[in-house]
């Protein structure tokens, strides 16, 4: 069963806000020159911010459901431009429902490219 | 500088206990795509705040620059959600160390426990330490 796809627009201001809320002040998420100095294409979103948005979609699909496990690889960076934003698209599909546990396989893309590897959530719903 | 191989298996001291406030959970909700917070469980990725404390302490102890770290993989296995009022700490163990193409691939696990010592969630993170350009 496919779940309704959710799109989030990510701006640099969102990264500043996420840094403050999470305590992750790695400058590669704020400062173009630092990001480029370590070989990144530009300022990138925190992987955990991308993962949090994927978890947000899961929460919208299964309101109030307890999350039992959540995991992904960070396979491609989400590059966030200085002006405007970039769209993150979170799609999900229910893979199984077993013993009260629902397994959701996610597909998280940015400009048509998958940015998370094998993102998966298991919820009690 | 490669990270010291003898670190594998080492467990670092627990992070200082952090009391989770409603304001902190609200900020996290609003910073992660939520439109409002009316109390209740924190978002699923909230325990990263604790795991990040533990990771920072580890990186500082090993004199690794945070800006050279990119997140490779993250997993959470939950015993229960986090609620405001919880007092939590995280204990980090270095699970593995590999070197690929001049980068250190650091596998860590961090166990988040509450004030009673009960496990709230177990997290594992792969950190990619990008070597200095030669």
């Amino acid at each position: 069963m496919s779940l309704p796809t959710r799109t989030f627009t990510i701006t640099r201001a969102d990264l500043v806000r996420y840094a403050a809320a999470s305590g992750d002040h790695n400058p590669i998420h704020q400062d173009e020159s630092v990001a480029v100095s370590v070989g990144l294409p530009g300022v990138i979103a925190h992987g955990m911010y991308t993962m949090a948005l994927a978890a947000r979609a899961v929460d919208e699909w299964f309101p109030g459901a307890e999350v039992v496990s959540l995991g992904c690889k960070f396979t491609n960076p989400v590059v966030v431009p200085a002006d405007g934003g970039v769209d993150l698209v979170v799609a999900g599909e229910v893979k199984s429902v077993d013993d009260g546990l629902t397994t959701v396989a996610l597909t998280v893309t940015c400009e048509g490219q998958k940015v998370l590897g094998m993102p998966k959530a298991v919820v009690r719903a | 500088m490669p990270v010291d191989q003898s670190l594998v298996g080492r467990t670092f001291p627990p992070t200082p206990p952090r009391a989770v406030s409603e304001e902190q959970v609200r900020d996290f909700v609003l910073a992660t795509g939520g439109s409002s917070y009316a109390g209740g469980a924190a978002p699923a990725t909230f325990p990263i705040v604790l795991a990040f404390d533990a990771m920072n302490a580890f990186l500082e102890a090993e004199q690794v620059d945070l800006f050279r770290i990119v997140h490779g993989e993250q997993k959470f296995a939950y015993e229960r959600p986090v609620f405001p009022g919880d007092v939590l700490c995280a204990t980090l163990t270095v699970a593995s160390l590999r070197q690929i193409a001049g980068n250190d691939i650091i596998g860590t696990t961090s166990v988040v426990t509450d004030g009673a010592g009960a496990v709230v969630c177990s997290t594992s993170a792969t950190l990619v330490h990008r070597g200095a350009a030669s």
Side-chain angles (χ1 to χ4, degrees):
Chain A
M1 183 187 78
S2 287
L3 298 156
T5 296
R6 179 76 157 86
T7 300
F8 300 91
T9 302
I10 303 176
T11 66
R12 294 267 178 104
D14 292 325
L15 302 187
V16 171
R17 190 172 194 179
Y18 181 76
S22 68
D24 183 344
H25 295 286
N26 190 330
I28 63 173
H29 308 303
Q30 315 278 352
D31 186 327
E32 191 97 24
S33 60
V34 175
V36 170
S37 80
V38 292
L40 296 168
V43 166
I44 64 168
H46 306 72
M48 285 310 303
Y49 180 54
T50 305
M51 192 180 194
L53 295 178
R56 171 69 46 200
V58 172
D59 189 58
E60 290 176 358
W61 293 328
F62 302 94
E66 189 176 326
V67 181
V68 176
S69 67
L70 180 68
C72 68
K73 295 183 182 192
F74 303 100
T75 47
N76 280 301
V78 173
V79 180
V80 180
D83 297 313
V86 67
D87 281 350
L88 186 80
V89 180
V90 181
E93 196 175 342
V94 172
K95 284 296 177 191
S96 64
V97 181
D98 188 23
D99 203 17
L101 297 181
T102 300
T103 300
V104 181
L106 296 144
T107 305
V108 182
T109 55
C110 183
E111 296 185 325
Q113 188 176 40
K114 285 186 188 178
V115 294
L116 300 184
M118 293 183 290
K120 191 179 100 166
V122 177
V123 298
R124 193 168 280 126
Chain B
M1 181 193 75
V3 176
D4 179 5
Q5 195 66 36
S6 72
L7 282 173
V8 177
R10 190 181 305 174
T11 296
F12 285 75
T15 55
R18 181 193 273 275
V20 178
S21 70
E22 208 158 271
E23 187 189 1
Q24 194 183 10
V25 174
R26 178 176 293 111
D27 286 349
F28 197 89
V29 168
L30 299 179
T32 55
S35 52
S36 65
Y37 173 67
T45 66
F46 183 83
I48 200 66
V49 174
L50 286 303
F52 196 75
D53 277 351
M55 186 196 77
N56 267 335
F58 159 66
L59 296 179
E60 232 165 76
E62 295 310 310
Q63 296 177 304
V64 173
D65 295 324
L66 177 62
F67 74 91
R68 294 198 179 281
I69 294 289
V70 174
H71 213 154
E73 184 173 6
Q74 180 69 43
K75 289 180 180 171
F76 298 91
Y78 304 90
E79 296 297 325
R80 67 165 177 87
V82 171
F83 290 95
D86 279 333
V87 178
L88 303 176
C89 67
T91 304
L92 180 143
T93 300
V94 179
S96 62
L97 272 179
R98 288 179 297 148
Q99 275 208 307
I100 297 177
N103 296 329
D104 296 306
I105 316 292
I106 309 166
T108 66
T109 62
S110 292
V111 178
V112 177
T113 50
D114 64 18
V119 175
V120 173
C121 76
S122 301
T123 74
S124 64
T126 305
L127 309 175
V128 181
H129 175 231
R130 299 168 77 94
S134 50

